[in-house]
Amino acid sequence: MKLSVVSKKLWSVHKQLILLLTPLVFLPLLFALPEKEGKCLYVVVLMAMFWCTEALPLAVTAMLPVCLFPTLGILPSKKICPQYFLETNFLFLSGLVMASSIEEWGLHRRIALKVLTIVGVKPAWLILGMMLTSSFLSMWLSNTATTAMMLPIANAILESLFGDLETLKLKCKSPEDHESAVINGQSSVKLHSLPSVPSEKQVLSIDGTDAVEQTDLRTAEEIRSESEYQLKVWKGFLICIPYAASIGGTATLTGTAPNLILIGQLKSYFPDCDLINFGSWFAFAFPLMLLFLFLAWLWISFLYGGLNTRLCFAKQDRRAQAEARAKALIEEDYRKLGPLNFAEGAISFFFVMFAILLFTRDPKFVTGWSVFFKKGYVSDAVTGVIIVSILFFFPSQKPSFRWWFDPQASNTPYVPLLSWKKAQDSVPWSIILLLGGGFAMAKACEESGLASWIGGHLQPLAEVPPGAAVMLITAFLACFTEFASNTATIIIFLPVIAEMAMHVSVNPLYFMIPATVGCSYAFMLPVSTPPNSIAFASGHLMVKDMVRTGIVMNILGVLSVALAMNTWGIAMFNLNTYPEWAQPINKSALITDVSPVQSFNATL
């Protein structure tokens, strides 16, 4: 039998082989380490393998602690099961419910089109508008939903600017290539459709007709050169949306799962640490998001032809005519939405209240409203659940008060802003289980002593300056998450990073925050994140486009995080001192050689 045939057969059953062989291959871990630590490491390695290879669904792997930790004698089930619905999960759930109500009434579409009407229609400004809108929406909606909503809008705008993509690709070919394609019967290019609603192109059109093209007097070379430029801009539009969605998700605690895992594991490892909440995280991460978004816009616009003199000087040419058509299309689409209705206004109000109350509960740099309640009783989860609970009974249509006094008046039908069925269908319950699995793993690592054992073997890293360690941690996790789920990545590495920080006597937040943010910086491959996959599935991007753009994006992300941590991050979280809330946990494990830390503090 040929090697290629054997390879194909093995690949067809590779998930089953991983499930069968992984427990056997790592069986020596049970005997090579101290009993409890060895058993815990065995389970952690199994889960890491299953998460990275997706041999089992992510949510199913996340439930393995419920059966493995009790049966192996690591932790009793009464300590494991509560980890699957901590208050962090309620905060995440409230964010998802708020997002589903925004999607239900189309408020996200109104926001997107309004931003596009403001920024203008020149390619670089449109790319900026797409990125600002995508990042803002992904702060509250899921990154996947944001990308799936924005891509059809981008595609319709691009068709108004440049015409049909298939025709554009043909124009990019040289005459010889075009003749060869016609002879071989390949004059058309087969494209995958974007994940759009069927009526998107009809919505973004004026009276259903396209503008009449003027007679083209340009040479073939001029046409080809202009078409190549337009194709580059098209790619820039499509690639900026998933990247902006990934960046935007880092700005809020509910924006992406790794942020919530950081909170949950901080509460498990350091119960006395109350520095990170919705408000303090937003105050740190939002400026970081804006900085990285600006750098990403410059890079994408430079790479895909959006940065030129047209940004500052108006020209009356074919591009100007296409831009005028695109502007008219966007304005017409926004006009068709009509005025803000009662439901959209109500959702806007509760959305703003949701953000303001979470931000002002205890922002750390000023006194929050939580001081009016018993200390430690009201958390971000309480705030989120209070607001979203109102959505299930607040009416979606303006109540008719005449009905109470006029028997002949018709009553407005009562329909709440959000139904439980809609919320139930919209919430990705698998992510809730995934968060719980991460918290259960962290609890077991802590109580079994595995985390301390790993930290004790990271002694050589004490020689690395903390500032350099931040960049290495961010870069490593940004690369690792290219091939694995960002949630699984942070679940696996955050306990190790916390122990490493304690053993080198560095504030744990100085390492844990960059690790958490870095897990969201997956830009190089289509499989890295669902938003990347959606953009790639359009058929207009190639893997080399994402790799070429993503490498520089990762570098810019690492530098942005390092800058944030060593400037306003130090001031906000007092990162240049070893905190008291970390002392009791590793009092016996502190190392005596802290010269790197002393030099670190001296530089700060």
Side-chain angles (χ1 to χ4, degrees):
M1 189 179 295
K2 292 183 178 179
L3 184 61
S4 60
V5 177
V6 174
S7 301
K8 288 181 180 178
K9 288 182 178 291
L10 288 174
W11 181 252
S12 65
V13 294
H14 74 283
K15 289 188 176 181
Q16 292 90 329
L17 290 175
I18 290 170
L19 289 172
L20 291 173
L21 295 178
T22 301
L24 298 176
V25 170
F26 292 102
L27 202 59
L29 290 176
L30 296 175
F31 310 102
L33 274 70
E35 182 183 3
K36 215 166 186 180
E37 290 89 332
K39 290 178 179 179
C40 187
L41 182 60
Y42 180 71
V43 176
V44 169
V45 171
L46 286 186
M47 293 178 66
M49 286 293 295
F50 293 162
W51 267 330
C52 293
T53 60
E54 296 190 28
L56 284 175
L58 296 180
V60 175
T61 302
M63 291 191 290
L64 290 181
V66 176
C67 48
L68 292 180
F69 286 144
T71 54
L72 290 174
I74 300 170
L75 274 184
S77 61
K78 66 181 180 181
K79 286 191 176 182
I80 288 293
C81 293
Q83 302 299 315
Y84 283 81
F85 234 100
L86 300 174
E87 63 175 348
T88 306
N89 299 70
F90 274 102
L91 175 61
F92 187 49
L93 181 62
S94 64
L96 294 172
V97 172
M98 176 60 71
S100 66
S101 67
I102 291 172
E103 293 178 26
E104 172 75 4
W105 295 102
L107 184 61
H108 57 319
R109 179 175 174 78
R110 182 181 291 275
I111 294 171
L113 291 172
K114 184 62 179 177
V115 172
L116 294 178
T117 59
I118 293 172
V119 298
V121 292
K122 288 182 171 60
W125 294 133
L126 267 179
I127 288 175
L128 179 62
M130 288 288 176
M131 294 182 74
L132 287 173
T133 308
S134 300
S135 59
F136 174 76
L137 291 175
S138 66
M139 288 164 59
W140 315 100
L141 311 179
S142 75
N143 300 350
T144 306
T146 298
T147 304
M149 190 271 296
M150 291 298 296
L151 277 174
I153 295 176
N155 196 50
I157 293 171
L158 288 165
E159 289 197 0
S160 71
L161 277 170
F162 305 138
D164 182 62
L165 181 62
E166 184 177 340
T167 305
L168 191 61
K169 285 189 173 183
L170 287 175
K171 288 180 180 179
C172 290
K173 296 180 179 179
S174 64
E176 294 80 5
D177 292 340
H178 182 66
E179 290 175 8
S180 174
V182 172
I183 292 172
N184 295 326
Q186 298 174 345
S187 59
S188 63
V189 182
K190 185 176 180 181
L191 298 174
H192 300 285
S193 60
L194 278 167
S196 61
V197 293
S199 60
E200 186 69 42
K201 284 180 66 178
Q202 284 79 9
V203 170
L204 283 173
S205 63
I206 299 178
D207 300 326
T209 60
D210 295 328
V212 179
E213 291 290 335
Q214 297 178 355
T215 306
D216 199 337
L217 301 177
R218 295 173 296 173
T219 65
E221 182 60 29
E222 289 174 336
I223 292 174
R224 187 171 71 85
S225 177
E226 180 68 11
S227 298
E228 288 176 349
Y229 164 79
Q230 292 174 354
L231 193 61
K232 282 176 63 178
V233 173
W234 198 302
K235 288 184 177 182
F237 266 66
L238 297 184
I239 210 168
C240 77
I241 292 171
Y243 288 0
S246 295
I247 295 170
T250 63
T252 60
L253 279 183
T254 57
T256 187
N259 298 352
L260 291 163
I261 291 169
L262 170 67
I263 294 297
Q265 295 204 7
L266 274 176
K267 289 179 179 177
S268 175
Y269 273 82
F270 311 110
D272 295 329
C273 176
D274 62 348
L275 291 176
I276 304 289
N277 56 41
F278 191 96
S280 62
W281 179 268
F282 185 83
F284 166 78
F286 185 69
L288 171 59
M289 183 205 79
L290 291 180
L291 171 65
F292 189 18
L293 203 68
F294 175 71
L295 295 176
W297 170 66
L298 289 178
W299 167 240
I300 292 173
S301 298
F302 168 76
L303 192 62
Y304 293 100
L307 287 180
N308 51 48
T309 56
R310 299 177 65 86
L311 285 177
C312 304
F313 303 100
K315 293 184 179 180
Q316 296 302 319
D317 55 10
R318 288 176 177 274
R319 290 187 190 177
Q321 294 170 8
E323 290 165 1
R325 290 198 301 272
K327 183 177 182 180
L329 293 175
I330 296 171
E331 290 175 348
E332 175 69 9
D333 193 25
Y334 185 76
R335 187 189 62 79
K336 286 180 180 179
L337 292 177
L340 199 73
N341 60 38
F342 182 81
E344 289 176 317
I347 290 293
S348 301
F349 173 77
F350 288 119
F351 170 62
V352 172
M353 286 295 296
F354 179 81
I356 290 176
L357 289 177
L358 284 174
F359 181 75
T360 58
R361 183 187 67 83
D362 186 18
K364 300 303 178 187
F365 52 88
V366 293
T367 303
W369 56 262
S370 61
V371 296
F372 297 110
F373 299 90
K374 196 170 182 179
K375 186 176 181 180
Y377 273 57
V378 178
S379 66
D380 286 336
V382 175
T383 310
V385 172
I386 288 174
I387 294 296
V388 299
S389 297
I390 300 174
L391 302 177
F392 290 99
F393 64 83
F394 197 87
S396 61
Q397 298 184 35
K398 190 175 181 180
S400 174
F401 295 104
R402 283 185 56 205
W403 178 77
W404 291 95
F405 307 104
D406 186 358
Q408 312 248 336
S410 59
N411 184 27
T412 304
Y414 173 72
V415 179
L417 287 172
L418 188 64
S419 66
W420 176 248
K421 186 177 186 310
K422 170 63 179 176
Q424 193 175 16
D425 293 340
S426 301
V427 172
W429 298 101
S430 60
I431 301 297
I432 302 286
L433 286 174
L434 195 57
L435 287 175
F439 298 149
M441 180 190 286
K443 187 72 173 176
C445 288
E446 177 194 348
E447 298 217 359
S448 69
L450 176 63
S452 297
W453 181 88
I454 292 174
H457 286 74
L458 296 174
Q459 182 67 24
L461 294 176
E463 301 302 321
V464 179
V470 165
M471 299 183 70
L472 290 174
I473 289 169
T474 310
F476 172 74
L477 292 185
C479 292
F480 191 91
T481 197
E482 300 285 352
F483 309 97
S485 157
N486 61 355
T487 307
T489 299
I490 198 64
I491 287 172
I492 295 167
F493 288 105
L494 205 55
V496 177
I497 290 168
E499 284 294 330
M500 180 177 73
M502 290 189 291
H503 275 76
V504 298
S505 297
V506 170
N507 191 317
L509 292 178
Y510 190 66
F511 286 170
M512 296 175 77
I513 291 175
T516 303
V517 176
C519 278
S520 296
Y521 291 170
F523 304 114
M524 289 196 294
L525 296 174
V527 297
S528 301
T529 63
N532 288 8
S533 300
I534 293 173
F536 185 76
S538 67
H540 311 332
L541 294 172
M542 301 177 69
V543 174
K544 67 178 183 181
D545 296 324
M546 302 196 81
V547 171
R548 181 178 60 166
T549 313
I551 288 176
V552 177
M553 288 286 293
N554 278 5
I555 294 171
L556 293 174
V558 170
L559 295 176
S560 299
V561 171
L563 176 64
M565 292 303 300
N566 290 290
T567 51
W568 65 87
I570 286 177
M572 287 185 61
F573 302 121
N574 199 20
L575 298 177
N576 56 349
T577 60
Y578 194 78
E580 291 185 4
W581 47 260
Q583 295 287 355
I585 278 194
N586 78 325
K587 189 182 295 180
S588 61
L590 285 175
I591 60 174
T592 57
D593 182 13
V594 292
S595 56
V597 182
Q598 292 170 351
S599 62
F600 170 58
N601 292 340
T603 59
L604 297 178

